[in-house]
Amino acid sequence: KIYRDGTLEISSSLETTVKVDLLPRFGIRLFVNKSFDTAEYYGYGPYESYIDKHRASYLGLFRDKIENMYEDYVRPQENSSHWGCKYASVISGDTIIRFESKHDFSFNASEYTQEELSQKRHNFELEKCDSNVICVDSEMAGVGSNSCGPALRDQYRIKLPNVELDIR
């Protein structure tokens, strides 16, 4: 639902089969006009933070231009999400799109799509999206994997088979 005051209310649920072993994230992705160039959130920051990677971050109120919220890895990958958010907003002048939930969520604002980050092999190949990409995830698995270390611990995985999203 979208209300006249700009409030979004989003509810969704997922029930997986036993064939689904690991889900990387569950949430929504919005493409907003580039004029929405500022993000504000109350969560773990100011650096990227994930359920299994947030010790360099602290809980607080953060605000920055979306163009500054990118972590420049040589090999592009998922980056710059903020774990443990209580609320988040994207701002264009006097217009604000705000996300809230009864439960902590992960928030990401980026100039790149997830497809772009996963398909390119080097950071210099990246092409910015025509829109700013906003992700609000009720659940997000940790970023650790066994590509260069141990497998992701159960406590950092999304608990399946049922997952829900409630954002207002």
Side-chain angles (χ1 to χ4, degrees):
K1 293 180 183 179
I2 301 175
Y3 297 94
R4 288 183 184 262
D5 68 356
T7 302
L8 298 173
E9 186 175 311
I10 303 160
S11 295
S12 184
S13 62
L14 171 71
E15 183 177 349
T16 63
T17 68
V18 294
K19 293 181 181 181
V20 177
D21 182 38
L22 180 65
L23 188 64
R25 67 192 324 158
F26 185 72
I28 61 165
R29 179 170 71 162
L30 303 172
F31 292 83
V32 299
N33 188 287
K34 285 282 192 179
S35 67
F36 285 91
D37 64 350
T38 303
E40 179 179 279
Y41 60 95
Y42 184 81
Y44 281 82
Y47 312 108
E48 66 180 2
S49 59
Y50 296 84
I51 192 170
D52 65 337
K53 180 185 172 194
H54 61 272
R55 291 185 187 231
S57 299
Y58 57 93
L59 188 61
L61 178 62
F62 301 96
R63 183 182 180 121
D64 204 349
K65 294 288 188 186
I66 292 173
E67 66 187 17
N68 298 333
M69 297 175 72
Y70 168 71
E71 288 290 332
D72 189 23
Y73 293 113
V74 174
R75 172 137 179 131
Q77 58 191 283
E78 163 64 40
N79 74 85
S80 299
S81 190
H82 298 282
W83 175 73
C85 288
K86 311 297 183 202
Y87 78 84
S89 300
V90 289
I91 304 160
S92 172
D94 292 337
T95 306
I96 299 172
I97 302 172
R98 183 176 165 111
F99 307 93
E100 292 182 36
S101 178
K102 293 177 185 174
H103 308 284
D104 291 355
F105 60 92
S106 291
F107 170 73
N108 185 323
S110 177
E111 296 182 297
Y112 302 100
T113 64
Q114 286 69 31
E115 292 83 2
E116 185 72 10
L117 293 170
S118 65
Q119 292 172 0
K120 298 296 171 71
R121 295 179 59 107
H122 305 95
N123 56 357
F124 62 83
E125 298 173 317
L126 289 172
E127 295 177 32
K128 293 179 180 176
C129 183
D130 292 335
S131 303
N132 280 330
V133 183
I134 309 302
C135 294
V136 178
D137 296 299
S138 65
E139 299 283 343
M140 187 168 194
V143 292
S145 70
N146 62 345
S147 64
C148 61
L152 189 61
R153 293 182 179 174
D154 285 342
Q155 72 218 51
Y156 303 132
R157 293 175 182 243
I158 295 175
K159 308 293 186 259
L160 298 175
N162 299 306
V163 187
E164 293 184 2
L165 169 73
D166 285 302
I167 299 290
R168 182 175 163 93

